[in-house]
Amino acid sequence: MRLIKGVLLLEYTDLVDTYGIGRGTIDCGVSKFSKGLSTSWASIKDPEDKRKRLIIYSTIPAHSKKQMPSERELIKLCRDQETERAKVAQLITESAN
C-alpha cells in the first residue's frame, strides 16, 4: 500500500492476501480498464519496481470495497507505516555512526 501524490495505491498482494479479493477479479478488471472497456480497476506501474502494478483505490468497485477499510482509514494506516519506516531508518543511521 502506498500513498503517491495523495493517491492511495494498493498492491495485488494487499488486495488478495489481506482483503480476500480474487486475483482473477483483479486481472479481469485491470485488463478491461487497459482496453478502455471500464473505468474500474485503474492501475499504474510501480515506480519502484516496473514489474508490478499498483491499483488505484478510488477505482475499485464498491462491491469489492465492502471487505476493505475506508480510504480514510487506509491513508491513516499508510501514513503510520511511513512514519514507522522513517523511525527505523533513523535508528539504523544513528547506530551506524
Side-chain angles (χ1 to χ4, degrees), residues 53 83 93-94:
R53 298 209 63 83
T83 301
T93 302
E94 289 172 358

Side-chain angles (χ1 to χ4, degrees), residues 17-35:
D17 298 338
T18 305
Y19 303 112
I21 298 172
R23 187 169 284 279
T25 298
I26 300 166
D27 289 341
C28 183
V30 168
S31 176
K32 285 181 181 179
F33 175 81
S34 66
K35 293 176 184 175

